[in-house]
């Protein structure tokens, strides 16, 4: 086993999207090769309805996939294909925009006015940029959860983990998307396929991530998988941890335990031409998308 080094730890940045939704962005609209095949990750979390109710009115997407994971409140959605529905707490929606879709997402708080969810953008390879749009809606009850003897709990949203397979499938990035809770003081190892890019996003409690490449920090154990390992400072709420190559990570939960997303995917390694909600391979393809939007041909007829 080889421990993945911690390349970077950074806090999500407050920003505003849609019609005035206040959220925190962990990454996006910067270097698309950094976490290829992933392009953007937003944490939309508020307990003030005025900060989210204006939502994300009708807007286009082409050339990407989005996954929306709701923890509190609901998100009402509709699209140009005629689909409508509501995502509740624990529910997931994976949308493949492909050749193009227009949709809207309108958050609603729970009884206490709280709203919390995440949205991740995954790139599509050139061969699938213009595929037919589709949705996968999954209820929280259909997401398998595995609980280990030490109390560690893992919800398997996408991919296979600890003998369970998540309900979302057929995704170009071949991702693994896990929602992990580790009790206070517990040290835990999680395997990740070596060829995947990987990051963690801490959103409750705090944790330290072992790093075999960092000579500073507190010694976790004499050895982990044959390597002397050190622990970085505690990473708290709204912290992104970006990992290097290897086939496992080691995390030690802080005094209040930790809950984080562990997400990985296979790099696409293709050129990226990006303008707002449209991500293609070339500037010419971007310009064509803009023309399609102007002349009303953005939505392709179903085949």
């Amino acid at each position: 086993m080889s421990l993945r080094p911690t390349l970077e730890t950074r806090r999500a940045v407050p920003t505003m999207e849609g019609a005035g939704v206040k959220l925190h962005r962990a990454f996006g609209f910067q270097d698309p090769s950094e976490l290829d095949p992933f392009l953007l990750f937003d944490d939309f979390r508020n307990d003030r309805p005025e900060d989210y109710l204006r939502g994300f009115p009708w807007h286009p997407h082409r050339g990407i996939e989005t996954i929306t994971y709701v923890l509190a409140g609901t998100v009402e959605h509709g699209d140009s294909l005629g689909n409508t529905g509501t995502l509740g707490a624990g529910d997931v929606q994976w949308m493949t925009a492909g050749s193009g879709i227009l949709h809207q997402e309108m958050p609603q708080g729970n009884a206490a006015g709280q709203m919390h969810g995440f949205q991740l953008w995954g790139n599509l390879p050139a061969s699938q940029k213009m595929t037919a749009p589709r949705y996968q809606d999954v209820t929280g009850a259909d997401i398998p959860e595995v609980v280990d003897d030490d109390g560690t709990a893992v919800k398997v949203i996408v991919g296979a983990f600890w003998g369970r397979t998540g309900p979302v499938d057929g995704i170009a990035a071949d991702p693994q998307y896990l929602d992990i809770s580790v009790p206070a003081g517990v040290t835990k190892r999680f395997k990740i396929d070596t060829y995947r890019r990987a990051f963690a996003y801490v959103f409750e409690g705090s944790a330290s991530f072992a790093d075999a490449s960092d000579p500073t920090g507190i010694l976790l154990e004499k050895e982990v998988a044959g390597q002397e390992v050190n622990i970085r400072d505690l990473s708290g709420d709204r912290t992104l941890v970006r990992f290097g190559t290897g086939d496992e990570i080691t995390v030690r939960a802080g005094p209040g335990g930790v809950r984080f997303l562990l997400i990985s995917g296979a790099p696409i390694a293709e050129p990226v031409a990006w303008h707002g909600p449209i991500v293609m391979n070339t500037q010419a393809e971007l310009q064509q998308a803009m023309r399609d939007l102007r002349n009303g041909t953005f939505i392709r007829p179903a085949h």
Side-chain angles (χ1 to χ4, degrees), residues 35-274:
L35 282 165
D36 178 21
F38 305 114
L39 298 164
L40 175 146
F41 183 85
D42 283 344
D43 178 349
F44 51 96
R45 183 189 332 180
N46 271 296
D47 55 12
R48 289 165 38 95
E50 58 267 35
D51 289 342
Y52 60 77
L53 280 178
R54 289 184 292 273
F56 307 91
W58 292 96
H59 59 279
H61 286 292
R62 176 179 283 181
I64 65 170
E65 300 182 283
T66 67
I67 184 169
T68 305
Y69 179 29
V70 178
L71 294 184
T74 62
V75 176
E76 296 178 0
H77 64 89
D79 65 47
S80 52
L81 302 176
N83 298 312
T84 60
T86 301
L87 296 176
D91 296 349
V92 172
Q93 180 186 83
W94 199 297
M95 182 195 74
T96 302
S99 61
I101 199 166
L102 298 169
H103 76 156
Q104 66 172 352
E105 299 160 301
M106 306 303 288
Q108 302 288 325
N110 59 18
Q114 299 166 326
M115 179 70 221
H116 189 193
F118 307 105
Q119 188 164 93
L120 174 70
W121 290 14
N123 199 5
L124 281 169
S127 61
Q128 297 183 38
K129 288 287 188 189
M130 299 300 286
T131 192
R134 69 179 183 127
Y135 278 91
Q136 295 183 67
D137 288 333
V138 177
T139 65
D142 291 330
I143 296 173
E145 182 173 18
V146 189
V147 181
D148 208 359
D149 293 341
D150 59 12
T152 298
V154 180
K155 293 183 179 181
V156 186
I157 296 169
V158 186
F161 191 77
W162 284 359
R164 305 296 296 274
T165 300
V168 181
D169 62 6
I171 306 304
D174 186 28
Q176 187 179 60
Y177 191 123
L178 309 174
D179 178 351
I180 298 174
S181 299
V182 182
V186 171
T187 298
K188 203 72 178 173
R189 303 179 195 179
F190 299 98
K191 294 181 180 179
I192 304 173
D193 288 349
T194 305
Y195 72 94
R196 297 171 182 267
R197 295 268 171 80
F199 69 91
Y201 183 75
V202 178
F203 63 95
E204 284 182 16
S206 61
S208 300
F209 291 86
D211 191 345
S213 68
D214 186 358
T216 63
I218 304 167
L219 190 65
L220 169 65
E221 298 176 4
K222 181 62 179 175
E223 287 188 341
V224 171
Q227 303 169 82
E228 191 172 86
V229 171
N230 292 279
I231 280 292
R232 294 220 170 197
D233 294 336
L234 285 174
S235 296
D237 186 22
R238 294 194 177 104
T239 299
L240 174 77
V241 183
R242 188 163 62 91
F243 301 108
T245 58
D247 54 20
E248 72 173 14
I249 67 164
T250 296
V251 58
R252 182 172 65 188
V258 68
R259 188 174 178 189
F260 64 98
L261 303 178
L262 181 59
I263 299 174
S264 61
I268 294 173
E270 292 180 351
V272 173
W274 188 351

Side-chain angles (χ1 to χ4, degrees), residues 272-289:
V272 173
W274 188 351
H275 181 75
I278 298 172
V279 184
M280 304 301 290
N281 295 104
T282 68
Q283 288 297 317
E285 290 169 336
L286 271 186
Q287 292 162 8
Q288 182 62 54

